[in-house]
Amino acid sequence: MPTLETFSAFRSRPFTYLWINTLSFALVQAMQRFAFVWLVIEAIDEGGLGRGSEWSGAVFFALGIPVLFFTIPAGVLADRINRRTLVLASQVVAVAVTVAAGVIIVAGAMTTVLALLLAAGVGATIAVGLPVRNAIVPTVVDRDTLLKAIVMMSMAMNISQIVGASLGGLAIAVWGIGGAFIAQGVLLLVGTLALIPLRVPTVRAAEQHRQPIQELREGMGFVWDHQGIRTLIILLAIAGIFLIGPFGTLLPQIAKEELGRNAFEASLLFTFMGVGTVISSLAIASVPELRNKGGWVIGTLISAGIVVPLLGVSPWYPLTAGVMFCGGVAAGIFMNLNQTLVQANTPPEIMGRVVSIHTLAFQGVGPFGGILAGLMAAWLGAPTWMVISGAILFVLTTWALVTQPALRKMS
């Protein structure tokens, strides 16, 4: 059961400010992920922007592809300059891009090219802001509180998952797709205010810095030489292709075409998942000492290999909602423990670079999984590709369970 100690990370005032900002950022991110995909689906029905499920994959790809170009440089910068400055800059740009998207839609000037460019702009702010926020966490809490702090950061993401997509669907229903984007920009602006009083410790002095390429090699070398962290990041990449890509791209389409649901009902599926994630996250934070965290990471990813096919073949909305809840429980365990293991085993002076590589493996590979899912869904059908993706995920993660005994015991 959760106790006051579960929330002990909030004793740190800087962490509290960071958490409030992360909550608003994640809430809008969840709304945008749904809204951009729905924009394309709606346009397809009206004969507008796109002509098939390939465009759902394309917009998901555009949201995520900036991770490949911005995350690693952001990680290097995070170990060289003030991390608060980077987060603040990314948030201001996110406000501008989001409001611009809403204005263009309201003006009736949205095109396929503009939709993809704006999605890429939003993705760039996520690519910079997400790893830097994660790198800040170990600098504002002590090591004994790190797991709880990571869980609370995850909780901000999970709460946003619960209400973000559904709020996005509701905003679309009330104000239309353009008004929904403008509302997201206002919410981002409010969250930016929490960064003003935030103070982040300096990790190291400027004179200690070497050339950026050398620092990048140092971070990549650390990841490669550490077998546990290397395997955790490889598993994240696998999840990006065969879990996050198909899930983010095809679930709204399945809800609309296979289950006959509207935008709000489709977005509620993400709410059920978020509830499951919150429950498992609170459970983890309430356990005094969890052993064999690596084994839990692999086990929950194996379970995702069952969840994804079930989402593809489910003929009933209530069953899909139940599967989403179970998937959320597993996701809470997987993401919290994966990130905790990486950060707890990384020296503070290279945290920004390692966290950026960690983010790249998950967010950067996901867009390729998304565009692959869109293409394969156009060829085989969305439900069929969900089944195939789940089967591949199950086989690969089961292989990791058998062949990585050190990771199973990693804590």
Side-chain angles (χ1 to χ4, degrees):
M1 289 290 293
T3 64
L4 288 177
E5 189 62 26
T6 303
F7 306 94
S8 59
F10 290 107
R11 294 170 187 162
S12 166
R13 184 171 296 181
F15 175 79
T16 302
Y17 292 140
L18 179 66
W19 188 87
I20 293 171
N21 172 261
T22 301
L23 178 63
S24 69
F25 172 80
L27 184 62
V28 173
Q29 184 183 353
M31 295 171 71
Q32 288 174 333
R33 187 183 300 115
F34 180 83
F36 269 111
V37 172
W38 197 264
L39 170 64
V40 173
I41 293 173
E42 194 175 67
I44 290 171
D45 286 347
E46 296 174 0
L49 302 182
R51 296 177 181 273
S53 59
E54 302 97 322
W55 288 104
S56 297
V59 75
F60 190 82
F61 181 83
L63 280 166
I65 194 60
V67 172
L68 288 178
F69 303 101
F70 292 100
T71 297
I72 295 297
V76 174
L77 283 174
D79 289 333
R80 296 171 65 88
I81 66 174
N82 188 277
R83 292 168 181 169
R84 169 184 171 274
T85 302
L86 282 176
V87 174
L88 182 59
S90 70
Q91 188 105 357
V92 170
V93 174
V95 172
V97 173
T98 302
V99 172
V103 171
I104 292 171
I105 294 170
V106 171
M110 183 60 71
T111 65
T112 299
V113 173
L114 276 176
L116 295 179
L117 287 175
L118 289 166
V122 167
T125 66
I126 296 171
V128 173
L130 185 58
V132 179
R133 283 179 177 85
N134 290 336
I136 290 174
V137 174
T139 69
V140 294
V141 298
D142 56 47
R143 183 180 174 87
D144 292 339
T145 316
L146 180 59
L147 173 58
K148 293 179 175 60
I150 289 174
V151 169
M152 289 303 108
M153 291 291 282
S154 177
M155 285 281 291
M157 305 293 288
N158 299 337
I159 292 170
S160 302
Q161 190 72 50
I162 291 174
V163 299
S166 55
L167 277 179
L170 183 60
I172 292 170
V174 175
W175 296 312
I177 190 73
F181 273 100
I182 293 174
Q184 292 162 21
V186 173
L187 183 56
L188 273 175
L189 183 61
V190 172
T192 305
L193 299 177
L195 294 175
I196 296 175
L198 175 64
R199 296 295 178 266
V200 179
T202 300
V203 177
R204 56 178 174 162
E207 60 268 22
Q208 294 177 288
H209 295 309
R210 297 184 299 276
Q211 291 297 320
I213 295 298
Q214 292 178 310
E215 296 195 333
L216 176 58
R217 287 174 179 170
E218 181 184 11
M220 296 181 69
F222 173 82
V223 169
W224 183 257
D225 293 338
H226 195 297
Q227 182 179 356
I229 292 179
R230 183 177 72 238
T231 306
L232 287 169
I233 289 177
I234 290 173
L235 288 175
L236 273 179
I238 292 172
I241 296 175
F242 299 110
L243 174 60
I244 300 303
F247 177 82
T249 302
L250 301 181
L251 188 61
Q253 179 182 340
I254 288 174
K256 182 179 178 65
E257 297 179 358
E258 304 296 329
L259 302 178
R261 300 293 167 161
N262 59 32
F264 180 65
E265 292 169 322
S267 66
L268 278 178
L269 292 174
F270 294 94
T271 300
F272 291 117
M273 178 180 180
V275 171
T277 307
V278 166
I279 290 174
S280 61
S281 296
L282 284 174
I284 291 173
S286 303
V287 175
E289 180 61 35
L290 182 64
R291 301 177 60 187
N292 301 325
K293 294 183 181 71
W296 284 93
V297 168
I298 300 175
T300 50
L301 193 54
I302 289 175
S303 72
I306 300 173
V307 166
V308 174
L310 286 176
L311 292 174
V313 302
S314 171
W316 304 299
Y317 183 84
L319 176 59
T320 300
V323 173
M324 288 288 286
F325 173 81
C326 294
V329 172
I333 298 172
F334 173 76
M335 290 307 301
N336 285 311
L337 295 185
N338 189 300
Q339 187 173 335
T340 299
L341 287 173
V342 170
Q343 293 192 9
N345 290 279
T346 299
E349 62 271 15
I350 61 170
M351 186 68 69
R353 282 160 284 172
V354 173
V355 169
S356 69
I357 294 169
H358 183 269
T359 303
L360 177 64
F362 191 54
Q363 302 277 351
V365 175
F368 293 97
I371 200 162
L372 176 64
L375 292 171
M376 297 303 290
W379 180 33
L380 302 172
T384 300
W385 183 244
M386 292 285 276
V387 172
I388 294 173
S389 294
I392 295 172
L393 182 65
F394 183 86
V395 170
L396 292 177
T397 49
T398 300
W399 176 83
L401 179 68
V402 174
T403 61
Q404 300 295 319
L407 178 58
R408 294 199 303 265
K409 299 176 182 179
M410 188 176 176
S411 293

